[in-house]
Amino acid sequence: MSRVHARPGTAPRIAILRAPAVQALIIQTFSFVLVVALALLVAPAGVEVSVAAATLLQGAAAAALSRWRRLAAWWLPIQFLFPVAVVVLLAVRLPPWIFLCAFLVLLPLYWTTFRTQVPFYPSGRATWLAVEKLLPSKSDIRMIDIGSGFGGMVMHLAEHRPSGDFQGIELAPLPWLASRLIARLRRNPARFMRGDYENLSLASYDVVFAYLSPAAMPALWHKACAEMHSGSLLLSLEFPVPGAEPQLMLHPQEGGPELYGWYM
């Protein structure tokens, strides 16, 4: 039986096109073209589509198409409000350099959020203390925070458990660089890597902490089950694993997100 082989580079392009942010952009562009075509279609009949009406139509079309494409529920209000926000920003006539500065500040922070679907979420000191209490008593404990952000948790644990090996891995360059610099200035033994945790083996870690997003949890669970050793602990703040009953459920802070735990 003959096999059909994809050309080199085809798979990455397909993966990018499947990214929710890319799909949302395509949907928004298509909705804009659709509204423009509608306005041109009714113009000969003397019907004028106002900017406000066109904006609402584009937002409604984008939200409806996003639902049809089964994007996450939180994409629907984003898609609806995006054209409204664009019109409002154009109306206030802000200088272009403001948008450039905002883009340059946010780019190294959110970097590949469009692909990973994991935005920047700071965990907070209450969570650090809760995780500290859950750490095994062994002196040579190895723990990693995947998506470590600015490294607050990892540095806290490394400071209070100096005999352990506490690491963080972060894909976005700005938080990674900041965490390394802060750790060096504080002479904190925490270690930080820049990279994608999906390419990192979890086999040697006793505790893995994650504060990711609902979209990332199924793949993380599959990876943890395949790689983490018996008796190790997977912790996730706020986002449970669909279909996997946690052995631990804590509220580090009243009114804050829940901390879930699974022993491998």
Side-chain angles (χ1 to χ4, degrees):
M1 181 181 293
S2 62
R3 295 183 180 179
V4 178
H5 295 278
R7 290 182 300 174
T10 301
R13 285 198 295 269
I14 293 175
I16 291 174
L17 290 175
R18 288 178 178 172
V22 176
Q23 291 192 48
L25 178 60
I26 294 172
I27 288 172
Q28 199 65 244
T29 304
F30 178 78
S31 300
F32 173 76
V33 173
L34 190 65
V35 171
V36 171
L38 177 63
L40 294 175
L41 186 64
V42 300
V47 179
E48 183 178 347
V49 180
S50 66
V51 173
T55 302
L56 294 176
L57 281 173
Q58 180 181 336
L65 289 171
S66 298
R67 182 176 177 82
W68 173 67
R69 288 295 300 166
R70 297 183 179 179
L71 295 185
W74 47 269
W75 274 109
L76 273 62
I78 292 176
Q79 290 286 70
F80 180 77
L81 294 173
F82 178 77
V84 178
V86 170
V87 170
V88 170
L89 288 174
L90 289 174
V92 297
R93 298 180 181 275
L94 293 175
W97 62 265
I98 292 181
F99 299 102
L100 176 61
C101 290
F103 173 76
L104 293 177
V105 169
L106 294 175
L107 178 63
L109 181 60
Y110 290 96
W111 199 243
T112 57
T113 298
F114 77 94
R115 178 176 64 83
T116 63
Q117 304 181 63
V118 180
F120 173 65
Y121 289 129
S123 54
R125 185 173 181 81
T127 301
W128 308 348
L129 297 174
V131 171
E132 183 182 355
K133 293 178 181 178
L134 294 174
L135 295 180
S137 58
K138 57 185 290 188
S139 60
D140 58 344
I141 179 177
R142 298 195 77 214
M143 180 268 187
I144 188 166
D145 180 354
I146 55 176
S148 53
F150 289 96
M153 170 181 286
V154 182
M155 285 185 273
H156 170 85
L157 297 176
E159 182 180 347
H160 288 80
R161 293 285 296 272
S163 62
D165 181 12
F166 295 92
Q167 304 175 25
I169 184 168
E170 175 60 52
L171 189 56
L174 178 60
W176 164 77
L177 180 60
S179 59
R180 289 202 63 176
L181 292 175
I182 294 171
R184 182 169 296 183
L185 290 172
R186 293 181 178 177
R187 297 184 179 179
N188 189 289
R191 295 190 293 151
F192 296 97
M193 301 172 282
R194 182 172 178 266
D196 191 340
Y197 70 87
E198 293 181 357
N199 301 323
L200 176 73
S201 173
L202 304 179
S204 64
Y205 297 101
D206 301 299
V207 179
V208 174
F209 174 84
Y211 191 11
L212 302 177
S213 76
M217 294 311 297
L220 173 60
W221 177 249
H222 178 77
K223 181 177 177 65
C225 291
E227 297 177 0
M228 293 181 69
H229 62 79
S230 177
S232 59
L233 176 62
L234 172 66
L235 295 171
S236 173
L237 185 62
E238 188 170 354
F239 307 114
V241 176
E245 189 71 23
Q247 284 88 38
L248 298 173
M249 295 177 64
L250 306 172
H251 276 97
Q253 186 174 8
E254 186 176 354
E258 199 159 19
L259 179 63
Y260 302 93
W262 299 264
Y263 287 102
M264 297 292 108

